[in-house]
Amino acid sequence: MAVADETEVYVYEQVVILISCVLSFFGSILIICTYVVWTDLRTKPRKLLTYLSVADLLSAISYSYGVWRVFESNSWDCVLQGAISTFANTSSFFWTVAIAIYLYIFIVSSNQRLADSLVLWFHIISWGIPLGITVAAVCLQKIGYDASEVSVGWCWVSIQAPDHVLWMLLTGKIWEFLAYLTLPILYILIKKHIHRAHAALSEYRPILASSAVSQSRSSMADRKMTLIPVIFIALRIWSTLRFLLMLLDSPARQSPLLVTLHGIGNTFQGAANCIMFVLFTKPVRTRLAAAVCCCCCRHTAHRDSDASIQDPASSNGPLRREDVSHRVWGED
């Protein structure tokens, strides 16, 4: 059944968002593969990042199908796609916050045992709650065609459900709002703790302040602690804005620019994580470059290339500002 005020999805919007989905797909695959292949880079935060990438991978696949199809009514594949994207998207919110909580306890509280003990609960919450909400929404027939009111071609909560706003909150928006509040607070506290610890150590070990390597490493840690919540909000804010405009019944929610930004924001998370934690992480980037060079050399030379890159040993001492990138994300 057609909806009178449905938002039109233009072909160029489909192309742009499908490209975003493809980038997110390969970005998530790359994060998962680098974790599996290089065992010495398997820090606990990277393990949590891998779980997040699984959720982002499912999101990219389901969203790409929805954008390609641009549903115009309820159908079995509309409900299936809506259910998968609802589960994956909500799970992505939970895993993003879980990583921040883990880093806070690990770095600020300096309690790795407690942080590690929470991983099981992260699994139960980050997979269990989204699954329970999605199953309930499907069983109550709340998932379906939403006329692209708060989507871009894909299906989510049926716009014809009388309580669709409530279910939009339960299946994503309320968790998105909580992430907006939680992530900046946790990462600001982490950054402040790192700066205080660095200042205290520098008072007794001035060499830390003058070391170019230490400055580079701590600078990268600072940037990532800043970029994680900033990128999350920058990507997700367009979806939130369209949701609020829908509540106000504003025609601005159908703006092609806003629709395109919404589509990119919902589908680019896997690619953004790949850029930060693979391409901007020196050991991973170096190994990827070496692997590509090795593959190229095999076409021109008949010899094996078994060269490996050794990482510097992790410090067993207190967690300093310049140690964060290496001990948390496995950076040099």
Side-chain angles (χ1 to χ4, degrees):
M1 182 184 299
V3 178
D5 58 347
E6 64 180 313
T7 301
E8 183 177 359
V9 180
Y10 298 100
V11 174
Y12 74 88
E13 293 174 341
Q14 287 181 267
V15 172
V16 171
I17 297 169
L18 282 172
I19 291 173
S20 178
C21 289
V22 170
L23 292 175
S24 193
F25 174 85
F26 285 109
S28 299
I29 289 290
L30 197 55
I31 291 175
I32 296 169
C33 289
T34 53
Y35 179 82
V36 171
V37 172
W38 293 310
T39 58
D40 55 320
L41 295 180
R42 292 181 185 176
T43 62
K44 190 68 72 172
R46 278 202 169 271
K47 189 174 186 179
L48 300 181
L49 179 64
T50 301
Y51 298 138
L52 170 60
S53 297
V54 172
D56 290 336
L57 180 64
L58 287 175
S59 291
I61 294 172
S62 60
Y63 282 141
S64 63
Y65 182 77
V67 174
W68 173 70
R69 284 274 279 111
V70 185
F71 293 102
E72 297 181 351
S73 63
N74 279 322
S75 60
W76 69 268
D77 55 340
C78 166
V79 175
L80 178 61
Q81 177 273 308
I84 294 174
S85 62
T86 296
F87 166 75
N89 197 46
T90 308
S91 180
S92 180
F93 293 149
F94 278 98
W95 279 115
T96 302
V97 174
I99 291 173
I101 294 172
Y102 182 93
L103 293 178
Y104 176 83
I105 296 173
F106 176 60
I107 296 173
V108 179
S109 301
S110 300
N111 193 337
Q112 184 173 356
R113 179 175 296 180
L114 174 60
D116 290 345
S117 70
L118 292 176
V119 173
L120 176 60
W121 288 104
F122 290 156
H123 278 287
I124 294 173
I125 294 172
S126 299
W127 300 125
I129 292 179
L131 181 61
I133 292 173
T134 303
V135 170
V138 172
C139 291
L140 294 174
Q141 298 182 346
K142 303 301 181 181
I143 300 295
Y145 174 62
D146 74 342
S148 292
E149 286 289 273
V150 197
S151 69
V152 189
W154 58 76
C155 288
W156 185 30
V157 174
S158 175
I159 198 68
Q160 296 175 344
D163 52 353
H164 64 272
V165 173
L166 172 63
W167 280 96
M168 285 179 178
L169 288 170
L170 290 175
T171 58
K173 290 306 168 188
I174 191 171
W175 315 114
E176 191 174 66
F177 294 147
L178 290 175
Y180 287 155
L181 296 175
T182 306
L183 293 178
I185 292 173
L186 289 176
Y187 282 110
I188 288 172
L189 291 175
I190 292 171
K191 280 171 61 69
K192 289 179 64 176
H193 175 82
I194 294 172
H195 280 279
R196 283 197 300 265
H198 176 74
L201 285 172
S202 296
E203 182 178 352
Y204 298 99
R205 298 170 64 181
I207 191 174
L208 290 176
S210 61
S211 169
V213 175
S214 297
Q215 287 292 335
S216 175
R217 188 180 296 170
S218 62
S219 177
M220 179 58 72
D222 279 349
R223 283 198 295 269
K224 286 189 177 178
M225 294 300 175
T226 302
L227 286 174
I228 290 172
V230 168
I231 290 177
F232 177 85
I233 293 172
L235 290 176
R236 298 290 183 172
I237 194 66
W238 313 110
S239 170
T240 303
L241 183 56
R242 286 194 71 205
F243 174 73
L244 295 176
L245 290 172
M246 183 205 70
L247 295 181
L248 297 173
D249 197 25
S250 170
R253 69 185 183 277
Q254 298 179 331
S255 164
L257 177 59
L258 187 56
V259 170
T260 303
L261 290 173
H262 174 191
I264 295 173
N266 268 43
T267 59
F268 198 71
Q269 188 68 55
N273 288 337
C274 178
I275 292 171
M276 276 198 298
F277 301 112
V278 175
L279 302 183
F280 283 0
T281 301
K282 187 176 179 181
V284 182
R285 183 177 67 247
T286 304
R287 294 179 189 205
L288 283 174
V292 172
C293 291
C294 180
C295 290
C296 293
C297 289
R298 285 176 181 173
H299 293 289
T300 58
H302 300 284
R303 60 185 178 84
D304 294 330
S305 178
D306 297 323
S308 61
I309 301 171
Q310 300 297 326
D311 287 328
S314 297
S315 168
N316 291 322
L319 188 64
R320 303 193 306 271
R321 182 186 179 194
E322 62 269 22
D323 292 333
V324 173
S325 287
H326 176 63
R327 294 180 61 185
V328 172
W329 302 118
E331 293 185 11
D332 283 333

